[in-house]
Amino acid sequence: MNEFDITDPLPTSFLNRQIANNDDDYDKFIEGLYVELIACFETLEEEANEHHDKDETGISSSVKMYLKGAKYDCTTETNSNGHVDLTVRENKFKWLGEAKLHKGNSWTYHGFNQLTENYSTGRPNSSRGSIIVYNTTVQKPSTKCAEEWKKYIERKQLSVTCYDYNPNGYFDMVIPEHPRSGMPYYIRNFFVTLHYTSSKDL
């Protein structure tokens, strides 16, 4: 699976969306969306003092508002065989994001199962989704969280291929046969570091 070159996020995202709609290209839609998500998560990390005490729904609502500001049709808690944390639609394209507070890898795995077994269909125009881990309490960098989650998945001995960690705060994995569609399903695992200690507590 290709890595996406992030140079100038907003123009890149806009261009990819234009190409996606003109050429009916789902992968270009996803490229544009992931550019926006990386920029969004960087902004959240820069404002961790405003988000560290929120729950999953509260943080995802901030993500929704960011994406809506970028003119994406983004909703939270939308029904798709259950309440999906984040849903983005554009014409017939769809992406689903399942968010979890960092409470250990077994809790993240619960989100993985929700995304792959219940929420997603794995059809060609919705064949990519994300697990988003909000680390609000554990004094641990994103690289370490990603490494531990990746090892946890690999120990499960699932039919899943994991790729290397990207410095932009994610790693990709692919399921060769989605349980519903039987086609490959691609998951980008994002790690957002939001733990915060007030200067008065230091």
Side-chain angles (χ1 to χ4, degrees):
M1 186 159 56
N2 294 330
E3 298 289 347
F4 304 137
D5 179 28
I6 308 301
T7 51
D8 193 356
L10 297 182
T12 301
S13 171
F14 182 72
L15 177 61
N16 283 335
R17 291 174 69 186
Q18 281 190 316
I19 295 171
N21 288 312
N22 292 339
D23 297 346
D24 194 26
D25 188 333
Y26 177 70
D27 286 347
K28 280 295 180 184
F29 159 71
I30 291 295
E31 284 188 36
L33 175 60
Y34 283 165
V35 167
E36 292 287 0
L37 281 171
I38 289 169
C40 172
F41 296 147
E42 287 179 351
T43 299
L44 290 180
E45 290 182 337
E46 291 168 357
E47 300 170 351
N49 61 315
E50 298 180 4
H51 301 290
H52 72 102
D53 56 354
K54 295 180 181 178
D55 61 11
E56 294 161 8
T57 302
I59 301 171
S60 293
S61 292
S62 296
V63 175
K64 178 188 73 173
M65 295 307 297
Y66 184 99
L67 291 176
K68 288 178 78 71
K71 307 303 181 184
Y72 279 96
D73 178 9
C74 180
T75 57
T76 53
E77 298 298 316
T78 302
N79 182 53
S80 181
N81 295 316
H83 296 290
V84 187
D85 289 309
L86 289 161
T87 301
V88 175
R89 295 178 180 272
E90 184 149 337
N91 298 323
K92 62 183 179 180
F93 302 146
K94 183 167 73 170
W95 167 91
L96 303 179
E98 179 59 17
K100 292 294 179 188
L101 292 181
H102 184 61
K103 297 180 180 178
N105 290 313
S106 61
W107 181 238
T108 305
Y109 187 61
H110 175 63
F112 172 87
N113 284 331
Q114 287 176 302
L115 178 65
T116 58
E117 299 286 341
N118 295 332
Y119 301 159
S120 61
T121 64
R123 294 293 181 184
N125 288 322
S126 57
S127 61
R128 294 178 186 257
S130 290
I131 298 294
I132 307 166
V133 180
Y134 303 132
N135 181 9
T136 60
T137 58
V138 182
Q139 299 289 326
K140 190 181 293 182
S142 293
T143 50
K144 188 66 174 177
C145 293
E147 178 186 351
E148 292 175 355
W149 169 234
K150 184 177 177 182
K151 287 181 178 178
Y152 182 91
I153 286 292
E154 290 172 342
R155 284 197 298 269
K156 288 286 185 181
Q157 297 184 328
L158 306 171
S159 251
V160 176
T161 300
C162 295
Y163 294 83
D164 291 338
Y165 181 81
N166 184 288
N168 284 299
Y170 66 83
F171 75 87
D172 293 319
M173 64 171 63
V174 59
I175 301 171
E177 292 187 8
H178 187 280
R180 290 179 182 271
S181 69
M183 295 182 286
Y185 189 70
Y186 302 89
I187 300 173
R188 178 154 290 187
N189 300 265
F190 286 104
F191 300 85
V192 189
T193 303
L194 299 174
H195 55 72
Y196 171 77
T197 303
S198 170
S199 58
K200 67 181 180 181
D201 296 327
L202 295 176

